[in-house]
Amino acid sequence: MTATAQPTSTDDLVVLSGVNKYFGDMHALKDVNLSVKRGEVVVVIGPSGSGKSTLCRTINRLETISDGSITIVGEKLPEEGKGLANLRAEVGMVFQSFNLFAHKTILENVTLGPIKVRKVKKDAAQKRGMELLERVGVAHQAEKYPAQLSGGQQQRVAIARALAMDPKVMLFDEPTSALDPEMIKEVLDVMVDLAKGGMTMVVVTHEMGFARTAGDRVVFMDEGAIVEEATPEEFFTNPQTERAKDFLGKILKH
Amino acid sequence: MDAVYDNLDLFWSGFLRSLGICLWGMAGSLVLGTLIAAFRVSPIPALRWFGTAWVTLIRNCPLTVVLFMFAFGLPELGINVSYYLFGVSALVLYTSAFVCEAIRSGINSVQLGQAEAARAIGLTFGQTLGQVILPQALRSSLPPLGSVIIAMFKNSALVGAFGVGGDLWGVGNQLTSAQGYDALPVFTGVAIGYLCITLPAAALLATVERKVAIAR
């Protein structure tokens, strides 16, 4: 089966076919095929260096691919310029290290995209921004700067910033890996709410609890390739591959 | 110090002339230098190449040579404007290479994640630079930028030496060689004139630095 001949249903929001990625000699992604349906929550897990973050970052082209194709809502990812910027606006991204704009207040962080990209009027953007901050529980911090907030609060703002663009799909690149244990829950709670609300999500994480409660499908990666795909229930109770069994054995027996 | 008191009006007009060269030079080189810095970090290879070539070429040439090329070389090509315009243009061109590098050092100090987050919400390259990167880059660019601009103010005396005339350096030159005044008092006056430009500039810079330091 060739990559391009693969039929995709109209329900498929994100489709990666035959994606390969090299970092120099390192083969970081090996012939990756993955479709994400509208409203689906795909949880990508795997050991460090397995390529799961790289996979996530290729979807909005923060990482270029060596060959293969990626489409979002049936549209091929443009290479550069305005077209790429427009497509990125449809794809929300939440980073491990939050990456809030350090020189802007919390509210400005959430309104910058709508004002500059969507050309929303400032007061309308602020009103919507406050609603989103309310939703993630940091509205009372709206006038502060990112550095004045805790990690958990910053990450919730980052989620609000992505939501402000009304994205069709949200990418989460290890959103809780830089957080203290106590703060992980407050971020996961927001993410579970989003998933329940029908948001299409690709989540790279080590939080197996989240995968179980909110995931529709688990994608297990190792050494740049997708090794196993299954529902969370199947994957955690009855993994098919030796590699997955080994991985689960290491992380679940404590 | 009679040489200075007798010619206060001359010194004053020289001061204004020099101030003009400095301010035009500053405005021009900041704009051009920022543009070249944007080229150097742009996603388009040709622009990056151009920016690198610009800095490499201009930063490594003596200012005097650049001035010579403008004031005497360009007329040979049929380009004739006033010495004032030639002088300021040469100063802008020369300083832009240093401004570019000061700004680029600031850009490099901003975490990569900031640009990634900006691109991820759909900002274009220009918006990413203008809205997210440069405002943060400025904080660490300011000290080297200040040094570059103050050096440029002093380099403006060289522009005077190329016959722009009427600036502080020109006044000093005229009083000593044409009118026979002693050099020491005259150039003390000239030095005070330049200090009247550079010291407030340094103070202003310190104030701006404090301001942007708070905004985070």
Side-chain angles (χ1 to χ4, degrees):
Chain A
M1 184 164 50
T2 64
T4 43
Q6 211 168 34
T8 57
S9 88
T10 47
D11 258 7
D12 287 336
L13 256 184
V14 179
V15 180
L16 289 82
S17 37
V19 170
N20 280 286
K21 164 83 183 172
Y22 292 87
F23 289 110
D25 288 339
M26 220 271 276
H27 200 169
L29 292 178
K30 293 174 185 162
D31 196 31
V32 170
N33 294 290
L34 178 71
S35 320
V36 183
K37 287 192 178 55
R38 199 175 297 273
E40 194 180 18
V41 177
V42 172
V43 180
V44 184
I45 62 177
S48 306
S50 60
K52 49 193 197 307
S53 277
T54 308
L55 174 75
C56 186
R57 289 163 56 84
T58 58
I59 297 176
N60 64 356
R61 214 180 154 81
L62 283 180
E63 214 69 78
T64 58
I65 55 176
S66 307
D67 76 280
S69 83
I70 298 174
T71 61
I72 292 170
V73 207
E75 221 183 305
K76 195 162 182 298
L77 214 52
E79 299 217 328
E80 257 310 324
K82 192 81 188 148
L84 180 59
N86 286 340
L87 209 87
R88 278 178 175 149
E90 307 289 331
V91 181
M93 174 113 190
V94 176
F95 301 86
Q96 180 176 350
S97 48
F98 330 135
N99 294 347
L100 292 181
F101 305 131
H103 63 306
K104 292 197 178 288
T105 64
I106 297 309
L107 185 58
E108 285 168 348
N109 262 275
V110 180
T111 57
L112 182 69
I115 292 171
K116 294 292 169 188
V117 179
R118 299 269 194 243
K119 311 294 178 197
V120 177
K121 289 240 162 51
K122 195 177 171 191
D123 20 323
Q126 286 182 334
K127 187 167 169 284
R128 167 104 167 104
M130 284 309 294
E131 285 168 13
L132 286 167
L133 291 178
E134 197 76 57
R135 183 166 158 195
V136 299
V138 279
H140 57 294
Q141 315 270 28
E143 300 309 319
K144 290 191 180 165
Y145 286 91
Q148 296 170 289
L149 269 60
S150 74
Q153 289 171 331
Q154 287 191 53
Q155 194 61 301
R156 284 183 280 149
V157 174
I159 294 173
R161 175 175 67 180
L163 287 176
M165 300 301 291
D166 294 318
K168 296 201 166 72
V169 52
M170 291 268 287
L171 309 174
F172 293 83
D173 184 6
E174 301 202 24
T176 57
S177 298
L179 295 175
D180 290 346
E182 287 175 74
M183 294 172 182
I184 291 176
K185 186 178 178 301
E186 63 188 49
V187 171
L188 289 180
D189 284 347
V190 171
M191 289 169 61
V192 169
D193 276 351
L194 267 182
K196 282 183 183 152
M199 176 60 77
T200 311
M201 294 161 68
V202 176
V203 184
V204 174
T205 188
H206 294 291
E207 294 299 324
M208 300 305 146
F210 175 82
R212 278 176 193 270
T213 37
D216 294 314
R217 183 156 45 120
V218 169
V219 169
F220 175 71
M221 289 187 74
D222 187 39
E223 295 183 350
I226 294 180
V227 177
E228 195 164 336
E229 268 185 87
T231 63
E233 181 61 25
E234 275 168 21
F235 180 76
F236 289 112
T237 53
N238 186 22
Q240 299 298 308
T241 58
E242 278 309 311
R243 188 64 190 91
K245 281 176 194 164
D246 180 52
F247 177 75
L248 288 175
K250 277 178 188 148
I251 57 163
L252 296 178
K253 283 189 189 125
H254 271 292
Chain B
M1 291 298 279
D2 285 348
V4 178
Y5 294 126
D6 291 352
N7 298 292
L8 265 183
D9 51 337
L10 207 56
F11 270 97
W12 177 243
S13 72
F15 172 78
L16 291 180
R17 183 88 162 163
S18 282
L19 188 65
I21 296 174
C22 290
L23 292 181
W24 281 117
M26 178 169 82
S29 59
L30 283 179
V31 170
L32 188 60
T34 307
L35 187 71
I36 302 290
F39 281 6
R40 290 205 69 173
V41 297
S42 107
I44 301 165
L47 290 182
R48 282 204 301 273
W49 183 90
F50 179 84
T52 310
W54 180 278
V55 170
T56 308
L57 222 63
I58 293 172
R59 190 173 57 167
N60 295 308
C61 274
L63 173 58
T64 338
V65 175
V66 178
L67 275 165
F68 258 112
M69 292 225 256
F70 266 76
F72 305 118
L74 290 183
E76 287 175 5
L77 297 175
I79 302 168
N80 265 306
V81 294
S82 66
Y83 272 124
Y84 185 77
L85 199 55
F86 272 142
V88 172
S89 307
L91 198 60
V92 164
L93 199 83
Y94 178 79
T95 313
S96 72
F98 296 89
V99 168
C100 165
E101 291 304 272
I103 288 179
R104 204 166 62 90
S105 78
I107 290 175
N108 288 342
S109 76
V110 179
Q111 278 184 7
L112 187 62
Q114 296 284 310
E116 288 189 340
R119 282 148 69 198
I121 57 169
L123 296 184
T124 60
F125 171 73
Q127 288 172 327
T128 299
L129 209 55
Q131 296 291 325
V132 177
I133 306 301
L134 285 179
Q136 297 187 64
L138 196 64
R139 201 177 299 140
S140 36
S141 283
L142 267 180
L145 211 50
S147 305
V148 167
I149 294 300
I150 286 170
M152 192 268 290
F153 286 174
K154 295 183 292 176
N155 284 341
S156 76
L158 217 51
V159 174
F162 270 79
V164 164
D167 75 321
L168 274 173
W169 193 91
V171 167
N173 194 34
Q174 180 194 336
L175 289 179
T176 48
S177 53
Q179 301 184 26
Y181 282 102
D182 285 342
L184 204 58
V186 168
F187 281 99
T188 305
V190 169
I192 290 170
Y194 278 110
L195 287 174
C196 286
I197 298 175
T198 49
L199 290 182
L204 186 69
L205 182 74
T207 313
V208 177
E209 260 179 54
R210 263 197 306 280
K211 251 201 147 110
V212 296
I214 297 166
R216 68 176 309 171

